[in-house]
Amino acid sequence: MKKLVIAAFVVAAAIAAWMLHDEIGTAIYRFEGVEGPSNDTQVAPAVAEDLGSYDKGGSSRLAVLVTDPASDWLGLVRGFKAHGIPFTLTQDPKRALRHDVVLTYPTISGRVLSAEALRGLADHVRSGGTVLTFDLAGGGLEELFGIASQEAGRGRSEIRWLDPSLNPGDRLTRFNARRAEVQIGTNGIEPTTAERYAGFDDGTAAAVCRRVGGRACILGIDVGALTNRAMNGRAEQVSAQAVNTYDPSLDIIYRWIRDLYVEGEARPYLIETAPAGRAASLILTHDVDFSRSVFNASLYAKAIRDRGQTATFFIQTKVIRDWNDDVFFNDSNLERLRETARGMELGSHSVSHSRMFSTFPTGSGSEHYPDYRPFVENASKTRDGTLLGELRVSRFLLQKTLGTDVASFRPGYLANHAALPEALAATGYRYSSTLTANLALTHLPYQLTYSRSDRALVPIWEFPVTIEDEKSPRLGDRFDAAVTVIDNIARNGGVAVVLIHPDVTGHKLAFEELLIDHYAKRLWIGSLAKFGKWWTARSLAEVDYDGKTVTVDATEPIADLVIRFPKGGRSVVLNGKSGTFRVAVAAP
């Protein structure tokens, strides 16, 4: 009994040594000599994007003639960049008409275009060019476009694409949920001589084209507005499932526009979405937010290393015992976490892993360890948590104690805070994995906007989650279903992000090993930061083609970037330092 008392005293003394109590009333694990970050975080104000900054590039690009500068043209910028469609934006009709393919956005009308510009668009089509718009609101061009009328409405929710060559999973675009607070408006089209390419769920035409020399096309939904809404995570859930299924609703629209561009442009080129030699990309991620996961994570990392691959492990810096779990980010686990980090990326999974993260106040920007102490009381209440505190303190602790750079963040429960993009930029991150692909309606990464609104970009890229491990049935029992989803994504050069909680090994670890073995020779496989660096360089590069030479203006080094020339069946692989460089393209 005496030995038991002494042992209990020793344990109590040890606990007291690493737990700090004060007037805050919350105990926190103390790393000796660790305090910070010492600098404050200042969130920069939003800087609206300048439409004029996108008025660049050669005539082989798709031209977007913006007829309303207050429209959602930034959504098109984000969508075209993600899908690798070269474009230029202009408000000058004469400038736009130098291009073979012109998207007049968002509308064609005598109220926004002069009679001369309207005649120019009509002549462009008759002489072999392509004109696409989302709203033929006037201008007397109904006969040219082959329609009788349009009917505006907000009760439509789906577009069904009629091309029989499409795979079944690529024939449906969902864009409205009847239970949603806001319904996206559409124009149901009544064609006369135009060919119907897609229809709305109420039977009206959704996409039509008339061939008369060239092509005059209408798509009855504002794709810029839909893109912004979906990529900002504000489209609510229109898919049947948020995750683990294939829903390319937004991607299908951009592929249709891409095909119009390729057919109508004399010298089309496309910027591929996967590194050279790979059909698509697979990003392996793990959420370490449970005591047992710390040990298991190192076993996952070893299995990945043994297969010559890399992955991301999002680590919760759990330094407070609360309703969620005990402390597990502590000195006794650092060596295990260092073993996990060997050859892998460590990202932040927040401090508190709170379900209420999306409602946290922004915070002061001066939050630091050990004074920042968010406490999860239950599923619906967390006290003393802030957005900036979660970001800056978790990143500081990971970098200080493990000596690793932290560029990626994923919130607990994928909680989508409206101010997360600018807060991530202010605290030193570059990559986010917060939404699911089916919520964003795309299986490609994309750039985020300030406060998830529609006017200002931030230097943060979102990588939405495709496959996760918590839905039934068990992950290990749905390998074939996951392969079907990933194969659908790979067919179109997409990116599949897999989320696994290493709370157990067994069937989950076996699933990941099988997945790597299955796709090792076909897909690019790796961590979020590694792929994010490649994707960011690709997104920021300006690429032009004049029929003989590809010219690249790169702000970051380019590696294994494929430029494809669909009409010649050729491609070129770009590798180069930042700056301007040129690559000659062999004749077909």
Side-chain angles (χ1 to χ4, degrees):
M1 178 63 73
K2 185 175 182 179
K3 290 183 179 179
L4 289 175
V5 171
I6 293 173
F9 177 80
V10 170
V11 171
I15 293 174
W18 59 258
M19 298 297 281
L20 177 68
H21 297 263
D22 57 20
E23 68 278 1
I24 297 176
T26 299
I28 188 167
Y29 183 85
R30 287 298 306 267
F31 290 98
E32 185 176 355
V34 175
E35 294 187 13
S38 57
N39 60 305
D40 289 350
T41 295
Q42 300 292 329
V43 178
V47 178
E49 289 295 302
D50 178 12
L51 191 153
S53 67
Y54 296 97
D55 191 350
K56 63 178 70 172
S59 60
S60 294
R61 297 187 182 198
L62 166 69
V64 181
L65 174 58
V66 179
T67 58
D68 178 7
S71 63
D72 282 284
W73 55 265
L74 188 57
L76 294 180
V77 170
R78 301 165 79 189
F80 287 145
K81 281 184 173 288
H83 289 82
I85 303 170
F87 68 95
T88 184
L89 266 61
T90 182
Q91 293 181 264
D92 181 358
K94 292 182 179 179
R95 165 89 165 86
L97 290 171
R98 296 176 195 149
H99 298 245
D100 291 343
V101 182
V102 179
L103 166 56
T104 306
Y105 180 78
T107 184
I108 292 177
S109 167
R111 295 189 302 274
V112 296
L113 290 170
S114 67
E116 180 185 6
L118 292 169
R119 285 193 301 270
L121 290 172
D123 291 343
H124 189 69
V125 173
R126 293 189 182 103
S127 62
T130 298
V131 173
L132 166 67
T133 191
F134 301 141
D135 181 11
L136 187 62
L141 300 182
E142 288 81 4
E143 182 179 356
L144 177 71
F145 280 82
I147 71 166
S149 62
Q150 296 178 147
E151 181 183 354
R154 294 187 177 274
R156 305 177 182 102
S157 59
E158 295 179 349
I159 297 173
R160 297 188 179 275
W161 298 87
L162 305 179
D163 185 350
S165 68
L166 294 175
N167 285 283
D170 296 319
R171 296 179 185 174
L172 180 63
T173 290
R174 300 178 177 93
F175 57 88
N176 270 338
R178 301 196 183 280
R179 62 186 177 279
E181 294 180 0
V182 177
Q183 299 291 323
I184 295 173
T186 55
N187 288 316
I189 305 164
E190 183 184 346
T192 52
T193 57
E195 180 182 357
R196 183 188 292 238
Y197 284 81
F200 288 116
D201 45 328
D202 68 350
T204 59
V208 301
C209 289
R210 180 174 180 239
R211 293 182 183 272
V212 49
R215 300 176 85 183
C217 303
I218 308 173
L219 178 62
I221 188 169
D222 185 333
V223 177
L226 176 61
T227 301
N228 274 336
R229 187 163 178 79
M231 289 184 174
N232 293 342
R234 297 177 181 270
E236 303 182 57
Q237 186 175 327
V238 300
S239 296
Q241 297 183 50
V243 74
N244 296 326
T245 59
Y246 175 63
D247 188 344
S249 287
L250 197 59
D251 298 332
I252 297 171
I253 295 177
Y254 278 97
R255 290 177 209 149
W256 187 69
I257 297 174
R258 176 201 65 193
D259 292 345
L260 289 178
Y261 160 72
V262 168
E263 180 179 335
E265 166 57 44
R267 300 178 304 203
Y269 63 102
L270 299 170
I271 302 163
E272 293 288 67
T273 52
R278 299 297 175 176
S281 303
L282 177 63
I283 300 176
L284 305 173
T285 71
H286 311 77
D287 288 3
V288 181
D289 50 30
F290 179 54
S291 299
R292 197 178 304 159
S293 297
V294 177
F295 177 82
N296 291 342
S298 63
L299 303 180
Y300 281 77
K302 182 180 184 304
I304 296 165
R305 274 194 304 272
D306 288 347
R307 284 164 170 76
Q309 306 292 351
T310 186
T312 297
F313 289 80
F314 288 104
I315 309 297
Q316 180 191 0
T317 54
K318 188 77 168 65
V319 289
I320 295 171
R321 180 179 182 179
D322 57 17
W323 180 80
N324 273 338
D325 199 357
D326 205 345
V327 171
F328 56 77
F329 192 79
N330 52 27
D331 284 294
S332 62
N333 280 328
L334 288 186
E335 191 56 40
R336 181 65 64 177
L337 290 170
R338 290 190 185 101
E339 179 62 19
T340 299
R342 191 160 58 88
M344 304 292 138
E345 178 199 10
L346 296 189
S348 167
H349 199 36
S350 79
V351 178
S352 66
H353 197 270
S354 170
R355 293 178 184 270
M356 308 308 295
F357 173 79
S358 62
T359 66
F360 279 8
T362 300
S364 65
S366 60
E367 297 90 343
H368 71 286
Y369 173 85
D371 293 335
Y372 177 68
R373 303 179 193 181
F375 189 84
V376 179
E377 294 188 6
N378 52 52
S380 60
K381 184 177 181 181
T382 299
R383 54 179 167 84
D384 303 323
T386 68
L387 171 60
L388 291 175
E390 294 294 294
L391 298 178
R392 54 186 265 122
V393 171
S394 61
R395 185 170 188 262
F396 166 79
L397 284 173
L398 289 167
Q399 295 189 154
K400 185 71 174 179
T401 61
L402 296 173
T404 183
D405 182 55
V406 175
S408 305
F409 177 79
R410 174 180 288 155
Y413 306 101
L414 303 183
N416 183 17
H417 197 294
L420 182 59
E422 60 266 32
L424 287 170
T427 48
Y429 295 88
R430 296 196 72 185
Y431 316 115
S432 167
S433 185
T434 299
L435 301 179
T436 65
N438 287 357
L439 182 64
L441 304 182
T442 179
H443 293 278
L444 288 168
Y446 54 87
Q447 192 169 1
L448 290 175
T449 55
Y450 199 102
S451 294
R452 301 193 185 276
S453 59
D454 306 332
R455 291 290 175 262
L457 292 171
V458 294
I460 302 293
W461 275 260
E462 173 69 27
F463 295 78
V465 174
T466 310
I467 304 292
E468 62 78 59
D469 63 342
E470 293 191 315
K471 303 287 185 181
S472 295
R474 297 187 324 162
L475 185 63
D477 295 334
R478 48 184 165 96
F479 179 79
D480 290 343
V483 165
T484 297
V485 172
I486 296 171
D487 282 351
N488 278 322
I489 294 168
R491 189 173 58 248
N492 294 289
V495 179
V497 178
V498 177
L499 186 166
I500 297 176
H501 294 83
D503 52 340
V504 298
T505 51
H507 69 96
K508 289 188 182 183
L509 181 54
F511 171 93
E512 185 162 50
E513 291 172 332
L514 282 172
L515 200 66
I516 294 172
D517 294 344
H518 185 80
Y519 286 114
K521 295 181 179 180
R522 182 183 174 201
L523 304 187
W524 184 97
I525 301 175
S527 70
L528 179 54
K530 188 174 181 179
F531 186 80
K533 184 177 181 180
W534 181 87
W535 185 268
T536 301
R538 168 196 176 276
S539 299
L540 295 176
E542 292 288 343
V543 181
D544 274 298
Y545 174 57
D546 63 5
K548 296 180 179 179
T549 304
V550 172
T551 302
V552 183
D553 187 4
T555 59
E556 299 185 12
I558 297 292
D560 294 331
L561 180 61
V562 179
I563 308 301
R564 182 165 61 91
F565 309 100
K567 283 189 172 175
R570 298 164 296 156
S571 63
V572 62
V573 179
L574 302 180
N575 291 279
K577 299 179 180 179
S578 58
T580 301
F581 61 92
R582 293 173 177 83
V583 178
V585 179

